[in-house]
Amino acid sequence: MKKTIYALCFVGAIIYSCTTKTVATSTASINTSEEYVTKGKTVFDENCGKCHGLPEASDHTAEQWSKIIARMAPKAKLNADQTNWVLAYVTVNAKK
């Protein structure tokens, strides 16, 4: 009985962890409203500079930023909203 309960809890935890995050996956689906960009700059400045120097948003293309943010957001412990805000900021200001 204990094994069944533990197995159900484990499966539930896996399902929950797989369904709670909604982060933009392509640069076309990023909300680049002024509100998102402003919040994104704040999160970028406050969180990304804790561990290393801040690059300029124009140092990389939007596609490069998408990959960088996907890799760095978990390290910075950004939630899905914060990650999308940062993506909005760097996308709008990215190298063309």
Side-chain angles (χ1 to χ4, degrees):
M1 183 68 170
K2 278 186 176 181
K3 288 182 181 180
T4 303
I5 292 172
Y6 288 132
L8 288 174
C9 289
F10 180 72
V11 170
I14 290 174
I15 290 171
Y16 176 77
S17 68
C18 291
T19 60
T20 58
K21 298 176 184 173
T22 55
V23 175
T25 55
S26 76
T27 56
S29 65
I30 296 171
N31 179 347
T32 56
S33 68
E34 185 177 337
E35 175 188 11
Y36 268 51
V37 172
T38 301
K39 288 181 179 181
K41 175 157 179 39
T42 301
V43 173
F44 182 79
D45 290 346
E46 291 177 359
N47 291 291
C48 300
K50 287 181 182 177
C51 298
H52 53 78
L54 287 174
E56 292 294 322
S58 60
D59 288 348
H60 302 285
T61 66
E63 288 180 14
Q64 290 170 328
W65 273 120
S66 182
K67 292 174 185 175
I68 293 167
I69 300 302
R71 187 178 69 244
M72 297 303 294
K75 293 179 182 183
K77 296 183 172 96
L78 300 182
N79 64 34
D81 286 336
Q82 292 169 320
T83 301
N84 286 328
W85 297 337
V86 172
L87 280 169
Y89 167 68
V90 296
T91 298
V92 166
N93 296 290
K95 183 186 337 180
K96 304 293 182 221

